[in-house]
Amino acid sequence: MDAAQRYWIRVLLLSNITDCSVQTASYFNVTNLDELPPLETSFSSLEEPIKIKLSAGKLTIAGRTFTSGKLIVYPNEPHIFSLNGIEYRGKLELIINPNGSTFDVINLVPLEPYLAGVIGSEMPDYWEPEALKAQAIAARTYCLYIKNRFGTKRNWDVAKTQANQVYLGVKAESAPVWNAVNDTYGQVLTCRHPDGAEGIFPTYYSSVCGGHTENSKNVFGDSFGPLAGVACPYCKDVAKLTLFFWPMAQFAKSTVTTRLFQKYPQLKQLGEITDILPAEQSNYGTFSRLTKIKLVGSTGKSDFLRAEDLRLSIDPTGRQIQSTICQIEKWDDKWAFLAGRGWGHGVGMCQNGAQGMARHGKTANQILTYYYPGSKVVKIY
Ligand SMILES: [Zn+2]
């Protein structure tokens, strides 16, 4: 077995669906994992997409019904399938949910092709090769950490969205992206864990830190030495001015209350939100990042929320309230988010900053040890 094949990743592509369409260039097998030995059914390749449907608790693929709650669709070489029109590499796992009325679709893919689909989605492929390599090592480490920490408790390791790392499949791949993946083959970042052992850690990264990266403890709640936050003079020269300094965003007060209640029903006891106050912030001299917010309601009761949670509850896209380096003020019947800097949660490597460092001739290793101080690059396969 190829060493890298030991590192397969399970990516959640679709969840709680009742049907989808799949197309493959080559013939494919369907393995019924509930049978011993597993039962294989072969399908010839089809020019038209085939329908996969769930009805009466059973999956039907191209008209053939299976009794198993767990199937693997395995296209032959070049091992590419298209799901609802988007191409991915590897295999497809179909798992019926415990309710019996919906199923999840999971991509089983070796780590390196997975990374090729991530790097090209997370960073422009025309950026400096050393920035792309730093991104590849950070993405590889992050993915393996999440897989080890959460994957054992669920049917998948990572989501294909910003909740983990954006993964757009084959269309995100390109020669520069594959070079970055291959040139860093098997390389990850490690640091000393609280128990004294050396190991991988969650190498978070975000688009534009705004001038200083944030301590992970204030955003994700975990504290590893390399995630304490560093000054970043590099992203300002790379990011577009309107990304670095983002324009005022406004949301109706009623919208803010509704969205917060939807995400955090326990806040309903506060009544309509009347005050949004900074409770804790990281001060960086000329600017500061809100990290904890005090919410006061019409009943006079109050509660606290992490600033990053508040931001993404009010603006789930994160494209209007781009970061928590901002001021929050009342503006007639609206809440205004002013004087904003940066884009993203700000923890770990600043992607635009990585590009800035690479432009100054820094290597991938220098970029990584700058943004994750105290860490080192190690080859694990
Ligand atoms: Zn930065």
Side-chain angles (χ1 to χ4, degrees), residues 290-309:
L290 299 169
T291 55
K292 196 174 183 185
I293 296 291
K294 183 180 183 183
L295 296 169
V296 184
S298 54
T299 60
K301 289 182 188 162
S302 61
D303 206 344
F304 294 90
L305 211 53
R306 274 184 200 156
E308 187 67 6
D309 293 336

Side-chain angles (χ1 to χ4, degrees), residues 207-213 231-236 244 349-354 371:
S207 182
V208 181
C209 77
H212 202 294
T213 67
C232 171
Y234 303 105
C235 54
K236 200 174 177 182
F244 192 88
M349 185 179 78
C350 170
Q351 292 168 299
N352 277 256
Y371 287 108

Side-chain angles (χ1 to χ4, degrees), residues 297-338:
S298 54
T299 60
K301 289 182 188 162
S302 61
D303 206 344
F304 294 90
L305 211 53
R306 274 184 200 156
E308 187 67 6
D309 293 336
L310 175 98
R311 171 174 91 92
L312 294 174
S313 307
I314 297 171
D315 174 21
T317 68
R319 288 176 178 272
Q320 291 183 74
I321 311 172
Q322 284 183 197
S323 74
T324 63
I325 305 181
C326 65
Q327 289 161 22
I328 307 174
E329 282 173 21
K330 285 179 190 169
W331 197 283
D332 299 328
D333 58 346
K334 298 187 183 99
W335 287 107
F337 298 79
L338 303 156

Side-chain angles (χ1 to χ4, degrees), residues 228-288:
V230 294
C232 171
Y234 303 105
C235 54
K236 200 174 177 182
D237 296 335
V238 175
K240 278 191 207 137
L241 208 60
T242 48
L243 258 188
F244 192 88
F245 296 108
W246 45 272
M248 176 170 70
Q250 289 180 317
F251 290 85
K253 284 183 179 169
S254 54
T255 305
V256 168
T257 297
T258 308
R259 291 189 181 168
L260 286 172
F261 286 1
Q262 272 169 2
K263 191 100 176 264
Y264 303 100
Q266 75 273 21
L267 293 175
K268 285 180 186 166
Q269 54 165 325
L270 271 55
E272 197 188 339
I273 304 300
T274 55
D275 281 292
I276 302 178
L277 306 165
E280 285 173 17
Q281 48 197 319
S282 300
N283 206 322
Y284 299 126
T286 53
F287 63 96
S288 57

Side-chain angles (χ1 to χ4, degrees), residues 62 80 154 160 187 192 194 247 291 309-310 343 362 381:
I80 290 176
R154 56 193 186 199
K160 63 163 179 174
Q187 292 178 19
R192 188 158 291 240
T291 55
D309 293 336
L310 175 98
W343 190 16
K362 303 291 185 202
Y381 56 79

